[in-house]
Amino acid sequence: MIRIARERMSDLFALARSESARGGGTLPHRYVFLARRIGMRFNLRLPPEYRTLYCRRCSSYWVEGRTVRTRLRAGRSVRTCLVCGAPRRVELHRHPRVDGPEENFRRIAATPQEPALAGEPEEGDDPDDGEEE
Ligand SMILES: [Zn+2]
């Protein structure tokens, strides 16, 4: 039953996508709404790839420029639903810079770059550790 519900949810999102590519109307919103309702009925999360595709307030299927506007500000992405106006803010940097940009750049430059060229086995740092049996 759970498996069927999952399939139904991704089917509905595929439908919403193809329908909005054809011009839309209210059908994509309806499909998203149904997919979310199935999720609530069976206590299932939406797969992560679908979670950014719709408005959480009004279930609009989001198409950039048509039903959603995305603006970047201060390390966040702010997506505003153009149907109901609800904003959705997403933090862009999970691991923020600790010491400011210069220190961050220095740290990146200091990390040893491994060329990892094929056909040039180097001795010393052997990545095949643990493969001997
Ligand atoms: Zn909305």
Side-chain angles (χ1 to χ4, degrees):
M1 206 57 204
I2 299 286
R3 189 176 51 81
I4 295 169
R6 282 219 180 84
E7 283 169 11
R8 186 89 181 113
M9 280 156 78
S10 43
D11 286 352
L12 281 165
F13 264 92
L15 274 173
R17 187 183 171 180
S18 63
E19 198 59 41
S20 79
R22 282 203 295 164
T26 56
L27 265 179
H29 306 182
R30 177 75 183 154
Y31 291 142
V32 171
F33 174 76
L34 289 173
R36 295 180 79 192
R37 202 164 69 177
I38 289 171
M40 288 176 220
R41 170 71 176 79
F42 295 98
N43 198 15
L44 291 173
R45 289 178 139 243
L46 274 174
E49 61 265 36
Y50 299 137
R51 294 169 66 84
T52 57
L53 294 180
Y54 65 88
C55 172
R56 287 196 184 164
R57 190 201 275 173
C58 70
S59 287
S60 296
Y61 184 78
W62 274 353
V63 181
E64 193 61 57
R66 181 136 50 93
T67 53
V68 68
R69 176 182 59 216
T70 305
R71 292 290 180 266
L72 304 177
R73 63 166 78 130
R76 278 187 293 270
S77 135
V78 181
R79 307 193 81 193
T80 309
C81 176
L82 298 180
V83 179
C84 74
R88 181 138 140 207
R89 300 180 187 87
V90 179
E91 206 73 28
L92 291 179
H93 303 288
R94 281 284 180 88
H95 306 288
R97 297 183 293 216
V98 225
D99 315 302
E102 294 88 4
E103 188 56 42
N104 201 47
F105 177 75
R106 215 169 292 139
R107 201 169 44 221
I108 292 167
T111 15
Q113 301 286 316
E114 288 165 288
L117 293 171
E120 269 190 46
E122 284 186 60
E123 284 166 46
D125 46 8
D126 190 6
D128 299 332
D129 280 346
E131 283 197 2
E132 291 111 68
E133 279 157 64

